[in-house]
């Protein structure tokens, strides 16, 4: 096991025992697991979603349900193997009925994401959806006049994270495309942007 993998394992143990986590009680009541992340801990590309859904919370793996299938298709379309990237979320626990994360929850779980970014030191971070985009832009000083994902999707930004230049690519969340074919086409097109980083 590499040092990075050990650090992720340690994080998982910490989260399992984190009684102060805002969604801890809900997790225990439903026999859910915290979802730390999966993939290559030395990945060049890191993908950050919003929060685990039911399938993810039951299995402990990110993006393994219906939305995960869409993500897999998108990765496949650019010949990018899921195992060669690192996939995680801002929240490590499932919010009730998949509701939007609250500001308090994001603030509580985000340090784990920051730590993961430090451990993996990716060259590219792909944000899926507005919550992930907003958090990473604000946290790592990406300034934009426009704030809406409807205008920012498919854009590449440069941030300095831990003294390194990191590209942040804002994309729509794959779940948004489940009932919206137009959005699915946009996501498929936006995903092509990632080819230059493979
Ligand atoms: N949606 C997310 O944002 N993350 C997951 O892991 C699954 C669905």
């Amino acid at each position: 096991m590499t040092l990075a993998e050990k650090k992720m394992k340690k994080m998982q143990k910490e989260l399992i025992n984190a009684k102060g986590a805002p969604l801890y009680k809900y997790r225990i009541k439903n026999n859910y697991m915290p979802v730390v992340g999966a993939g290559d801990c030395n990945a060049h590309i890191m993908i950050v979603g919003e929060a685990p859904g039911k399938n993810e919370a039951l299995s402990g793996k990110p993006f393994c349900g219906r939305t995960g299938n869409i993500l897999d298709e998108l990765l496949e379309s650019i010949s990018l193997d899921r195992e060669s990237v690192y996939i995680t979320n801002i929240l490590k626990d499932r919010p009730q009925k998949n509701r939007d994360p609250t500001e308090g929850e994001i603030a509580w779980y985000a340090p784990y994401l920051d730590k993961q970014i430090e451990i993996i030191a990716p060259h590219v971070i792909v944000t899926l959806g507005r919550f992930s985009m907003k958090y990473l832009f604000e946290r790592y000083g990406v300034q934009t006049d426009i704030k809406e994902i409807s205008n920012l999707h498919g854009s590449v930004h440069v941030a300095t994270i831990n003294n390194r230049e990191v590209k942040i690519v804002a994309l729509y969340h794959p779940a948004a495309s489940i009932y919206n074919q137009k959005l699915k086409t946009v996501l498929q097109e936006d995903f092509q942007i990632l080819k230059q980083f493979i």
Side-chain angles (χ1 to χ4, degrees):
M1 199 184 275
T2 66
L3 182 62
E5 284 165 356
K6 276 187 194 155
K7 286 181 179 175
M8 292 297 182
K9 254 223 132 61
K10 190 170 164 239
M11 184 177 290
Q12 189 179 17
K13 276 193 190 147
E14 227 175 276
L15 274 161
I16 287 171
N17 297 314
K19 295 205 170 91
L23 295 163
Y24 179 84
K25 280 191 191 144
Y26 181 61
R27 182 212 298 165
I28 297 299
K29 191 173 144 201
N30 290 283
N31 272 321
Y32 289 156
M33 274 181 262
V35 182
V36 173
D40 182 357
C41 291
N42 293 306
H44 187 71
I45 299 177
M46 185 167 176
I47 299 179
V48 183
E50 188 176 307
K54 189 175 180 180
N55 289 306
E56 288 78 16
L58 287 171
S59 67
K61 296 195 177 77
F63 285 95
C64 64
R66 192 169 179 190
T67 311
N69 292 338
I70 301 174
L71 180 59
D72 283 339
E73 272 174 31
L74 291 163
L75 290 169
E76 222 172 90
S77 77
I78 52 166
S79 306
L80 190 55
D81 185 8
R82 180 190 261 254
E83 303 307 317
S84 67
V85 297
Y86 190 83
I87 305 177
T88 188
N89 290 296
I90 320 182
L91 263 58
K92 308 305 189 199
D93 283 305
R94 181 190 183 213
Q96 294 88 341
K97 296 184 184 156
N98 297 347
R99 60 159 172 73
D100 286 347
T102 65
E103 278 186 21
E105 286 162 356
I106 292 174
W108 196 92
Y109 289 98
Y112 289 97
L113 174 62
D114 292 339
K115 186 83 193 154
Q116 288 177 303
I117 293 172
E118 195 187 311
I119 294 169
I120 292 169
H123 294 101
V124 181
I125 300 177
V126 180
T127 63
L128 299 179
R130 64 197 163 104
F131 290 98
S132 169
M133 177 188 83
K134 184 171 183 289
Y135 173 72
L136 284 152
F137 277 18
E138 285 177 4
R139 174 70 178 84
Y140 295 110
V142 175
Q143 314 266 355
T144 56
D145 293 335
I146 342 159
K147 305 285 175 213
E148 296 79 26
I149 195 158
S150 52
N151 293 312
L152 285 167
H153 72 89
S155 57
V156 181
H157 304 263
V158 180
T160 303
I161 305 181
N162 305 321
N163 298 315
R164 286 184 334 103
E165 190 179 276
V166 179
K167 302 269 183 351
I168 302 184
V169 186
L171 299 182
Y172 275 124
H173 196 291
S177 75
I178 289 180
Y179 300 108
N180 187 334
Q181 184 53 45
K182 257 194 198 154
L183 257 184
K184 190 158 188 185
T185 307
V186 174
L187 249 175
Q188 283 163 343
E189 286 166 4
D190 285 352
F191 247 76
Q192 302 304 310
I193 295 163
L194 301 181
K195 272 186 177 166
Q196 65 188 292
F197 303 120
I198 300 174

